[in-house]
Structure formats: C-alpha cells, structure tokens
Amino acid sequence: MSLVKLTIKGISYSQTQNGAYALILNEVDGERKLPIVIGAFEAQSIAIALEKEIKPPRPLTHDLFKSFADRFDIVVKQVIIHKLVDGVFYSSIICERDKIEEIIDARTSDAIALALRFAAPIFTYKNILDKAGIYLNANPNDIENQNADDEGVLSTPETFGIENDDTTSKNDYKKFSLIELHEFLEMAVQEEDYEKAARIRDEISKRES
C-alpha cells in the first residue's frame, strides 16, 4: 500500500462533541483533508508546537517525552496513521536508536504532537485517505453528502480555542493597543491559558499584517 504525506492545516473547535477539537490534516499532493477528532489537552499540545512564539513556562507531557528521547538519543523518524476502525484512527511512531528501528503504537493525537516536536513527517495509507478524506470548503451543495459530525466540525474556523460563544471576548481585544496586547499575551502564557493566548495572538496578527 502506498503512503501519502500529510501536513497540518489547522485545529477547529467541534460543535458536535463538547470539549473536543478537530485536527485537520492536509494531503500534500492533493486537495483532500483528513479530519480527526481529538481531546482538548492534545489540541493544546499540538497548537503550542505549531505556534513557535508561545512557550509554556513548564514542559507539557509531549515536551517531556522529547527531552527524555533527546537525552537517550532516541529519534522519531516518522508517524504513520495506519488503520481506521469504527471512526477511530490508529497510528505508529517509527523511532530509531543506535541505528535500530522500533515501531511504537500510539494514539494519533499523541503521535502527531510528537511528530511536530521532532520535525518528523506524517503519513497515512492511500486506502485510509480514500475512505476518510474529504474536500474541505468544496461546493456548498456537497455539504449535504457529508455526515452530521463532519459538517459540525468543519464549519467552524480552523484556529485553536475559538468557540461560538466567545465573540464578545474576541471583540474586547480590539480596544487595546499593541503594547497592551503583547503584555496580555505574555500573561496568558504564564497562566497557561492558551485559548486566551491564541485569541490575543490572532488580534496581534491582524494588526501587524
């Protein structure tokens, strides 16, 4: 079976599952997207790895694993999403130490969080992408052909920590200066409130673009 390389397109808040997020993976040489529902902690860990400017004051679990692996010369070479059963994705982490390769079973969300920290490529098999891949933002008439869960997950903005009932707090940041926003961002990171940090970061990006 041929492997297909994937990249991370974004993270979206799920309207259909309380406290859940959708990780959107993008086919590198194609237009299909692979949405995977993940928990809030894993979404936070992946978002922090994606946002290089946000550094947690203490290491998260995946950061600790990276430090542990570095100390013992373990390298994550790649991650493969190798199976899909009843809507659940199964993944393997391909590791190497002293030129000996090992395959470790892992939850897909954990595997991707580690792949980001090791700058390791993410793959899936073509038959899995054929089965679960979708064309995001396709013809609106095609939405009716998606199942209810996909529609709810994919209709929201692909950013971490933005919920529908959060409009007021987002708009509140518009009245502050850039200096104040940078101070708020630093405070949010120190308090480990990464959802707030993401909202402030988005407002800063709009001002500085």
Side-chain angles (χ1 to χ4, degrees):
M1 290 183 290
S2 60
L3 287 171
V4 179
K5 190 174 183 180
L6 303 170
T7 58
I8 297 176
K9 181 176 177 63
I11 300 175
S12 170
Y13 183 74
S14 173
Q15 293 178 335
T16 60
Q17 297 190 38
N18 187 31
Y21 291 79
L23 173 66
I24 313 296
L25 301 176
N26 190 75
E27 181 183 15
V28 170
D29 296 320
E31 299 180 355
R32 287 176 295 183
K33 311 294 185 291
L34 191 65
I36 301 175
V37 176
I38 62 176
F41 172 77
E42 292 79 12
Q44 179 189 80
S45 182
I46 291 171
I48 289 172
L50 289 170
E51 300 296 337
K52 305 298 184 182
E53 70 270 20
I54 297 180
K55 300 292 184 182
R58 295 176 296 169
L60 301 178
T61 302
H62 298 110
D63 297 321
L64 179 61
F65 183 94
K66 173 67 163 59
S67 298
F68 185 90
D70 289 343
R71 184 66 60 87
F72 292 95
D73 297 321
I74 300 170
V75 178
V76 172
K77 305 293 290 185
Q78 62 183 8
V79 163
I80 300 177
I81 304 171
H82 64 84
K83 186 168 63 173
L84 173 62
V85 179
D86 296 329
V88 178
F89 292 90
Y90 293 77
S91 295
S92 296
I93 301 174
I94 314 301
C95 303
E96 185 179 273
R97 182 174 184 266
D98 295 334
K99 297 183 179 180
I100 299 175
E101 190 174 273
E102 298 285 350
I103 301 176
I104 300 175
D105 181 50
R107 295 188 306 169
T108 298
S109 54
D110 290 328
I112 291 175
L114 290 174
L116 284 171
R117 286 161 170 81
F118 283 88
I122 303 166
F123 297 93
T124 191
Y125 289 110
K126 184 178 181 297
N127 65 322
I128 293 179
L129 195 58
D130 290 340
K131 181 179 179 181
I134 64 169
Y135 289 92
L136 195 61
N137 296 330
N139 190 320
N141 295 327
D142 295 338
I143 292 179
E144 293 179 0
N145 297 325
Q146 300 177 1
N147 62 48
D149 285 349
D150 286 344
E151 182 179 352
V153 168
L154 300 175
S155 62
T156 54
E158 293 175 2
T159 50
F160 173 66
I162 305 298
E163 302 182 33
N164 290 337
D165 59 356
D166 216 17
T167 305
T168 302
S169 58
K170 282 194 295 182
N171 291 335
D172 284 347
Y173 292 121
K174 294 180 179 180
K175 61 187 179 184
F176 294 104
S177 67
L178 270 176
I179 294 177
E180 291 173 317
L181 288 174
H182 281 289
E183 291 176 351
F184 291 157
L185 177 60
E186 183 176 351
M187 289 173 59
V189 172
Q190 290 297 322
E191 294 170 357
E192 301 185 28
D193 189 344
Y194 299 111
E195 293 186 16
K196 182 188 292 184
R199 293 195 296 270
I200 299 170
R201 177 213 62 214
D202 290 344
E203 181 62 28
I204 291 174
S205 297
K206 289 179 185 178
R207 305 270 191 97
E208 296 181 340
S209 60

Short mmCIF file of all heavy atoms in Angstrom, two decimals, residues 22 32 43 75 88 95 102 120 139-140 156 177 193 205-207:
data_model
loop_
_atom_site.label_atom_id
_atom_site.label_comp_id
_atom_site.label_asym_id
_atom_site.label_seq_id
_atom_site.Cartn_x
_atom_site.Cartn_y
_atom_site.Cartn_z
N ALA A 22 -11.23 19.27 16.30
CA ALA A 22 -10.95 18.53 15.08
C ALA A 22 -9.59 18.96 14.54
O ALA A 22 -9.37 20.14 14.27
CB ALA A 22 -12.03 18.78 14.04
N ARG A 32 -7.45 16.73 -0.70
CA ARG A 32 -8.26 16.11 0.35
C ARG A 32 -7.76 16.46 1.74
O ARG A 32 -6.57 16.66 1.96
CB ARG A 32 -8.29 14.59 0.17
CG ARG A 32 -9.14 14.13 -0.99
CD ARG A 32 -9.05 12.64 -1.18
NE ARG A 32 -7.70 12.22 -1.56
CZ ARG A 32 -7.38 10.95 -1.83
NH1 ARG A 32 -8.30 10.01 -1.75
NH2 ARG A 32 -6.14 10.65 -2.18
N ALA A 43 -5.17 18.91 21.70
CA ALA A 43 -5.29 20.09 20.83
C ALA A 43 -4.38 21.20 21.32
O ALA A 43 -3.71 21.88 20.54
CB ALA A 43 -6.75 20.55 20.78
N VAL A 75 15.30 9.00 18.30
CA VAL A 75 14.80 9.93 17.28
C VAL A 75 13.49 9.40 16.69
O VAL A 75 13.41 8.22 16.35
CB VAL A 75 15.83 10.12 16.15
CG1 VAL A 75 15.28 11.05 15.07
CG2 VAL A 75 17.14 10.66 16.70
N VAL A 88 -12.19 5.39 14.46
CA VAL A 88 -11.01 5.62 15.31
C VAL A 88 -9.75 5.38 14.48
O VAL A 88 -9.60 4.33 13.86
CB VAL A 88 -11.02 4.69 16.54
CG1 VAL A 88 -9.75 4.90 17.37
CG2 VAL A 88 -12.26 4.93 17.38
N CYS A 95 10.57 4.95 15.47
CA CYS A 95 11.70 5.51 16.22
C CYS A 95 13.00 4.82 15.83
O CYS A 95 13.00 3.71 15.29
CB CYS A 95 11.49 5.34 17.72
SG CYS A 95 9.97 6.07 18.34
N GLU A 102 12.48 0.94 15.79
CA GLU A 102 11.40 0.36 16.58
C GLU A 102 10.08 1.01 16.17
O GLU A 102 10.04 2.19 15.81
CB GLU A 102 11.63 0.60 18.07
CG GLU A 102 12.88 -0.03 18.64
CD GLU A 102 12.77 -1.54 18.81
OE1 GLU A 102 11.63 -2.05 18.68
OE2 GLU A 102 13.79 -2.19 19.07
N ALA A 120 9.21 15.50 12.40
CA ALA A 120 9.09 14.24 11.66
C ALA A 120 7.88 14.28 10.72
O ALA A 120 6.85 14.87 11.06
CB ALA A 120 8.94 13.06 12.64
N ASN A 139 -17.87 22.58 -3.00
CA ASN A 139 -19.15 23.14 -3.40
C ASN A 139 -20.14 23.05 -2.27
O ASN A 139 -20.31 21.98 -1.68
CB ASN A 139 -19.66 22.36 -4.63
CG ASN A 139 -20.86 23.03 -5.25
OD1 ASN A 139 -21.74 23.52 -4.54
ND2 ASN A 139 -20.90 23.02 -6.58
N PRO A 140 -20.82 24.13 -1.89
CA PRO A 140 -21.76 24.10 -0.78
C PRO A 140 -22.82 23.02 -0.93
O PRO A 140 -23.31 22.49 0.06
CB PRO A 140 -22.40 25.50 -0.80
CG PRO A 140 -21.36 26.36 -1.45
CD PRO A 140 -20.70 25.48 -2.47
N THR A 156 -16.58 25.39 11.48
CA THR A 156 -16.04 26.42 12.36
C THR A 156 -14.66 26.85 11.90
O THR A 156 -14.01 26.16 11.14
CB THR A 156 -15.94 25.89 13.80
OG1 THR A 156 -15.19 24.68 13.78
CG2 THR A 156 -17.30 25.61 14.38
N SER A 177 -4.24 48.61 22.82
CA SER A 177 -3.10 48.91 21.95
C SER A 177 -2.25 47.65 21.76
O SER A 177 -2.39 46.67 22.50
CB SER A 177 -2.23 50.01 22.57
OG SER A 177 -1.61 49.54 23.76
N ASP A 193 -3.07 29.78 30.05
CA ASP A 193 -4.38 29.91 29.42
C ASP A 193 -4.15 30.08 27.92
O ASP A 193 -4.15 31.18 27.38
CB ASP A 193 -5.14 31.13 29.98
CG ASP A 193 -6.58 31.17 29.52
OD1 ASP A 193 -6.91 30.46 28.54
OD2 ASP A 193 -7.38 31.91 30.12
N SER A 205 -1.85 39.53 15.19
CA SER A 205 -1.52 39.21 13.79
C SER A 205 -2.29 40.10 12.83
O SER A 205 -1.75 40.54 11.81
CB SER A 205 -1.80 37.74 13.51
OG SER A 205 -1.00 36.90 14.31
N LYS A 206 -3.56 40.35 13.16
CA LYS A 206 -4.37 41.22 12.29
C LYS A 206 -3.80 42.63 12.24
O LYS A 206 -3.76 43.27 11.19
CB LYS A 206 -5.81 41.28 12.81
CG LYS A 206 -6.59 40.00 12.63
CD LYS A 206 -7.98 40.14 13.22
CE LYS A 206 -8.76 38.83 13.15
NZ LYS A 206 -10.10 38.96 13.77
N ARG A 207 -3.35 43.11 13.41
CA ARG A 207 -2.82 44.48 13.47
C ARG A 207 -1.49 44.61 12.73
O ARG A 207 -1.20 45.63 12.11
CB ARG A 207 -2.59 44.90 14.93
CG ARG A 207 -3.81 44.76 15.82
CD ARG A 207 -4.67 46.02 15.86
NE ARG A 207 -5.65 45.89 16.91
CZ ARG A 207 -5.48 46.40 18.12
NH1 ARG A 207 -4.39 47.08 18.43
NH2 ARG A 207 -6.44 46.23 19.05
#
